[in-house]
Amino acid sequence: MTSEKTIHWADEAEAIKSNRPLKVLLFLFKIMPAFLVHSLCYPVAFFYLIFSPHARKDARLYQKQLKEFTGGKVPHRVSGYRQILNFSLCVLEKMEGWLGKVKFSRIRYQDDDIEELLELLREGKGAFLITSHLGNMELMRSLQEYNTQLCGREVPVVIIMNMDVSAQFTQTLKEVNPYFSMNVVDASNIGPDSMIYLEEEAEKGALIVIAGDRTSAQNREKVIRKNFLGKEASFPYGVFLIPFLMKIPVYYMFGMRSRMSIFNPKYKVHIEKSLVDFNCGRSERNEKIEECCGEFVSKLEKFCIMYPYQWYNFFDFWK
């Protein structure tokens, strides 16, 4: 029998085993003000804290590792409840985004590399975005006003994700937005055809988005070991191989909640360009992949410190 210590994140049972609760949320969003729906997260998060010792334990494990890494400074208080509450709000924000209820005015872009990325998109060129399960990685994708407000054109967004692991949530999003599955590449079936599709979309000026903080559910041994928050952890090799193969600019994106309010929440989107030059020969491939992964890990650490309760990897990340 498989012990708890050897369970891969992809083998964890999906938190939501039926999409009925998600459908109830969609119905509530249609008939009630958003702040009332958001207020439900507080008792739901408390219930989940009490009856899900697994999530409570993993949240505290991450926070204690972060606190040790920062010399006891961050987070100010180890609180599994705050992390679970933030996750509950994140799920609602995703549903809001797909319903078109997240207004562009609630997003604040930072004075980082956003202008360089926007200029690239305005020229009709594509880019590769590496994001994470820190914050809401679908924030930009779900904003219907994003394209016209910032780029003056419709920017295709293709997301690479594992469709099986989040089956219930994925199915519900398909019902909300029939076009959802048209620009999603299933990470479990990536092959030559998928790469051709991604390259074609990039040539059309698309954003290719993938999370860099979960190892592959299929190629579990193909990992890069990096020191993360003071302890060695595994990161997916394939994520950092793709931009090498595509030879397109790489950016790191973190969409974070900056204002904890049920009435008018605010968000910050951080965009930072990779300094790794992937225009090199095959002999330098592994070196560049390692360099890109290390760069991503350092960004991830930085934003974990800035937003300590918005980490949504509920498993032992360092096992």
Side-chain angles (χ1 to χ4, degrees), residues 9 18 40 53 56 59 85 97 110 114-115 118 126 161 165 181 190 196 224 244 251 276 279 283 289 293 300 319:
W9 71 266
S18 166
L40 297 175
R56 182 174 67 244
L85 173 61
Q110 306 308 294
I114 180 64
E115 279 303 323
L118 291 176
M161 62 181 287
V165 175
S181 59
I190 280 199
I196 292 172
I224 304 172
F244 174 86
Y251 292 83
V276 180
N279 291 306
S283 62
I289 289 172
C293 181
L300 188 60
K319 64 182 179 182

Side-chain angles (χ1 to χ4, degrees), residues 36 54 65 73 76 100 120 148 174 185-186 191 201 211 221 245 251 258 291 303:
L36 288 179
H54 171 71
Q65 186 67 40
K73 296 178 181 179
H76 177 69
L120 197 71
T148 54
K174 286 181 183 179
V185 172
D186 190 351
E201 290 299 305
E221 304 305 318
L245 298 174
Y251 292 83
S258 61
E291 187 180 345
F303 289 108

Side-chain angles (χ1 to χ4, degrees), residues 11 52 74 102 109 134 142-143 182 217 233 240 316:
D11 295 330
S52 180
V74 178
V102 177
Y109 286 85
L134 178 75
S142 62
L143 288 172
M182 292 180 64
F240 304 95
D316 185 350

Side-chain angles (χ1 to χ4, degrees), residues 11-54:
D11 295 330
E12 298 282 0
E14 191 173 1
I16 301 175
K17 296 180 174 60
S18 166
N19 63 358
R20 289 181 182 176
L22 298 175
K23 288 185 174 182
V24 171
L25 282 177
L26 288 173
F27 176 72
L28 293 178
F29 269 127
K30 292 176 182 178
I31 65 170
M32 294 170 59
F35 77 89
L36 288 179
V37 183
H38 278 241
S39 67
L40 297 175
C41 283
Y42 290 82
V44 168
F46 182 74
F47 179 87
Y48 198 70
L49 178 76
I50 299 300
F51 293 99
S52 180
H54 171 71

Side-chain angles (χ1 to χ4, degrees), residues 149 226 242:
Q149 289 279 357
K226 291 291 181 184
I242 294 174

